[in-house]
């Protein structure tokens, strides 16, 4: 669900609205807030799904794929991973676009 | 319910305005997974009003109403009555779950009159208080939920009063279901929400929500601090139903003697809001006061548990 502009929404529903519409990235690409980036070592991951359920941003899927567009780099996934499969390291500029 | 059986659908969308490591959004995710799409959400002024993001978009993929601090119970009563009418007229097939999502400021201090009224009428809705123990949305002011000796911008040397126990106030209202939950135990939280969904009448669930900027700890420690709170006895997990209280998850394990009660110092030291208890010099008296309260509660509970087991043994013993 990409970010939608108010005009598009109003054209779609046919009238001017004061209602908000659900949308991903409602405050933009929040990945730009990040200083540290979570990096997954797939070999160590035992798919316990703790990172998936603990991620406050819903940025990790059930298949353990991290969405770097919106990951704010809070580090909960790395802290809580029992097999230490996720490491936080300092992100280089424009590393993930 | 195991983690792998949790629904995959996310009703809390990525890219919201929540802080890094926000406990509110983590709690919303689990609650939405348990309650499903047939839910109407009422958000009382709180951090959730911020993390749902600015107009014209919203990070909450559910019908949402925003309302003033004091009106949670009243709005839910209106919504619940309207939903009942729509079901009676055939417009709705089933009644949706009415969920009120409030912070501790909107529950403990400002919203309690409407909540108490709704509970007294046994209005059919779920009231959730995500308790970050301060008015974190407006910069961490003291609330009725702030624990003893905690720093806030109003209590710079630590709060002098003990927090009030609103879950027990709700138990005293005689509502059908009251539960407390912790972010560190998601399966326990999910089970409580799924159970609450099936019950009719007023249900109250309170989630402890450790707030990284308000409690002054790194954003990666949100879950760790939530777990320490349960393990040290500062937050207790239970559900109250049919006049009986059952302790769950981490709290149950401590009472049954399967795990040890951690010293409260470990929990206090994990956060900056209790730093004045340890530096420049250690405030042994106040730490002992907190530990004393917790130890007293757990000693009583452990004693009661042992007595119950003993009584069961006598009852089950074959007659001689």
């Amino acid at each position: 669900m990409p970010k939608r502009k108010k005009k598009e929404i109003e054209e779609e529903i046919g009238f001017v609205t004061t209602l908000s519409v659900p949308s991903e990235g409602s405050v933009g690409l929040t990945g730009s807030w990040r200083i540290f980036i979570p990096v997954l070592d797939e070999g160590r991951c035992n798919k316990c799904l703790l990172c998936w359920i603990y991620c406050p941003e819903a940025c990790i899927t059930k298949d353990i794929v991290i969405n770097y567009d919106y990951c704010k780099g809070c580090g909960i996934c790395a802290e809580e991973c029992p097999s230490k499969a996720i490491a936080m390291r300092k992100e280089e500029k424009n590393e993930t676009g | 319910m195991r983690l792998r059986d949790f629904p995959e659908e996310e009703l809390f969308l990525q890219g919201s305005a929540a802080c890094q490591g926000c406990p509110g959004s983590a709690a919303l995710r689990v609650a939405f997974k348990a309650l499903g799409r047939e839910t109407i959400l009422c958000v009382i002024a709180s951090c959730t009003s911020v993390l749902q993001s600015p107009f014209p978009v919203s990070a909450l993929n559910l019908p949402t109403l925003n309302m003033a601090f004091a009106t949670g119970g009243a709005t839910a009563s209106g919504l619940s009555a309207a939903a009942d009418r729509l079901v009676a007229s055939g417009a709705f097939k089933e009644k949706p779950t009415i969920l009120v999502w409030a912070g501790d400021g909107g529950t403990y201090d400002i919203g309690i009159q409407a909540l108490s009224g709704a509970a007294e009428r046994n209005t059919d809705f779920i009231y959730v208080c995500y308790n970050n123990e301060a008015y974190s949305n407006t910069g961490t002011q003291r609330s009725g939920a702030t624990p003893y000796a905690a720093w806030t911008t109003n209590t710079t040397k630590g709060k002098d009063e003990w927090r009030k126990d609103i879950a027990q106030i709700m138990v005293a209202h005689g509502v059908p279901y009251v539960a407390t939950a912790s972010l560190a135990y998601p399966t326990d939280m999910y089970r409580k929400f799924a159970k609450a969904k099936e019950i009719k009448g007023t249900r109250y669930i309170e989630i402890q929500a450790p707030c990284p900027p308000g409690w002054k700890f790194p954003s990666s420690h949100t879950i760790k601090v939530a777990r320490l709170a349960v393990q040290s006895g500062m937050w207790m997990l239970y559900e109250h139903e049919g006049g009986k209280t059952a302790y769950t998850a981490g709290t149950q394990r401590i009472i049954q003697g399967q795990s040890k009660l951690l010293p409260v110092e470990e929990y206090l030291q994990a956060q900056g809001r209790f730093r004045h208890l340890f530096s420049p010099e250690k405030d042994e008296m106040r730490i002992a006061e907190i530990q004393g309260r917790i130890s007293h509660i757990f000693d009583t509970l452990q004693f009661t548990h042992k007595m119950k087991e003993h009584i069961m043994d006598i009852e089950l013993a074959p007659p001689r």
Side-chain angles (χ1 to χ4, degrees):
Chain A
M1 205 181 291
K3 184 167 181 178
R4 301 165 77 191
K5 291 199 172 121
K6 196 182 160 216
K7 236 182 180 172
E8 287 171 22
I9 296 159
E10 285 171 353
E11 273 169 18
E12 189 184 310
I13 57 174
F15 54 87
V16 176
T17 177
T18 54
L19 300 174
S20 291
V21 172
S23 167
E24 265 180 12
S26 43
V27 288
L29 297 174
T30 48
S32 61
W33 300 11
R34 187 173 59 219
I35 296 169
F36 290 94
I37 183 168
V39 183
L40 175 72
D41 176 356
E42 282 185 29
R44 282 184 146 191
C45 175
N46 62 1
K47 299 263 191 296
C48 69
L49 297 178
L50 282 176
C51 57
W52 169 66
I53 200 69
Y54 284 144
C55 175
E57 281 302 310
C59 276
I60 303 177
T61 63
K62 235 176 170 176
D63 309 324
I64 322 297
V65 177
I66 303 168
N67 184 349
Y68 289 114
D69 282 351
Y70 298 121
C71 167
K72 291 172 186 166
C74 69
I76 289 179
C77 50
E79 179 76 28
E80 294 302 322
C81 180
S83 51
K84 302 277 169 240
I86 302 176
M88 298 301 287
R89 68 171 168 75
K90 195 149 190 208
E91 187 175 14
E92 303 299 322
K93 213 179 173 189
N94 296 331
E95 190 177 344
T96 49
Chain B
M1 190 82 170
R2 292 169 308 172
L3 277 182
R4 72 187 58 162
D5 302 327
F6 279 28
E8 204 167 343
E9 189 185 27
E10 296 292 348
L11 295 169
F12 178 76
L13 304 173
Q14 305 172 20
S16 73
C19 304
Q20 286 177 326
C22 174
S25 42
L28 273 170
R29 282 189 63 211
V30 179
F32 287 174
K33 279 182 193 299
L35 297 175
R37 214 170 243 287
E38 299 299 310
T39 306
I40 297 175
L41 182 64
C42 313
V43 174
I44 294 183
S46 61
C47 291
T48 310
S49 317
V50 177
L51 65 87
Q52 97 184 45
S53 310
F55 178 77
V57 284
S58 164
L60 307 175
N61 195 5
L62 282 177
T64 308
L65 275 97
N66 283 286
M67 65 188 97
F69 265 119
T71 57
T75 312
S77 299
L79 272 175
S80 184
D84 280 338
R85 283 296 295 168
L86 288 167
V87 172
S89 67
F92 278 8
K93 269 186 190 164
E94 266 181 44
K95 190 177 175 182
T97 310
I98 314 289
L99 174 69
V100 176
W101 195 268
D104 56 301
T107 307
Y108 280 66
D109 303 332
I110 313 171
I112 189 168
Q113 51 80 21
L115 170 62
S116 176
E120 188 254 330
R121 294 187 298 272
N122 200 20
T123 305
D124 187 22
F125 78 121
I126 302 178
Y127 192 101
V128 176
C129 168
Y130 73 102
N131 177 4
N132 51 28
E133 302 183 350
Y135 288 79
S136 282
N137 182 25
T138 47
T140 324
Q141 290 85 9
R142 166 202 192 283
S143 91
T146 308
Y148 176 67
W151 167 94
T152 63
T153 49
N154 307 123
T155 56
T156 47
K157 287 181 180 171
K159 192 184 169 191
D160 290 330
E161 302 84 20
W162 298 87
R163 75 176 192 95
K164 68 176 158 189
D165 195 342
I166 206 122
Q168 286 304 312
I169 295 174
M170 291 309 289
V171 167
H173 277 76
V175 297
Y177 189 70
V178 176
T180 57
S182 167
L183 294 172
Y185 300 86
T187 44
D188 180 63
M189 197 200 291
Y190 184 97
R191 188 184 57 78
K192 283 170 178 165
F193 271 100
K195 196 175 194 179
K197 192 187 171 187
E198 301 305 320
I199 297 171
K200 257 195 156 325
T202 304
R203 294 86 90 193
Y204 177 84
I205 298 177
E206 187 167 344
I207 306 163
Q208 195 199 29
C211 166
W215 295 19
K216 300 185 183 300
F217 59 78
S219 63
S220 60
H221 287 190
T222 305
I223 306 294
K224 188 180 154 193
V225 171
R227 190 179 297 115
L228 272 174
V230 174
Q231 289 174 339
S232 66
M234 281 290 276
W235 186 251
M236 292 176 72
L237 298 176
Y238 61 85
E239 51 187 347
H240 185 91
E241 209 184 350
K244 281 185 183 166
T245 301
Y247 293 89
T248 60
T251 308
Q252 186 193 31
R253 284 197 281 278
I254 297 169
I255 293 170
Q256 293 182 347
Q258 291 156 353
S259 58
K260 265 198 156 182
L261 184 68
L262 288 186
V264 77
E265 264 190 66
E266 276 189 42
Y267 172 69
L268 302 178
Q269 271 178 324
Q271 308 158 50
R273 64 175 179 159
F274 291 107
R275 196 177 294 138
H276 55 276
L277 295 181
F278 298 96
S279 74
E281 54 191 56
K282 202 170 164 185
D283 192 341
E284 302 272 4
M285 205 183 78
R286 282 206 278 186
I287 297 170
E289 226 174 315
I290 301 169
Q291 184 66 64
R293 270 207 172 204
I294 294 170
S295 300
H296 174 71
I297 294 168
F298 274 87
D299 284 348
T300 316
L301 288 172
Q302 282 164 343
F303 177 75
T304 321
H305 175 73
K306 273 183 194 158
M307 284 303 286
K308 267 187 197 160
E309 274 191 340
H310 183 62
I311 292 164
M312 288 277 278
D313 282 349
I314 295 168
E315 278 174 359
L316 294 174
R320 291 186 185 176

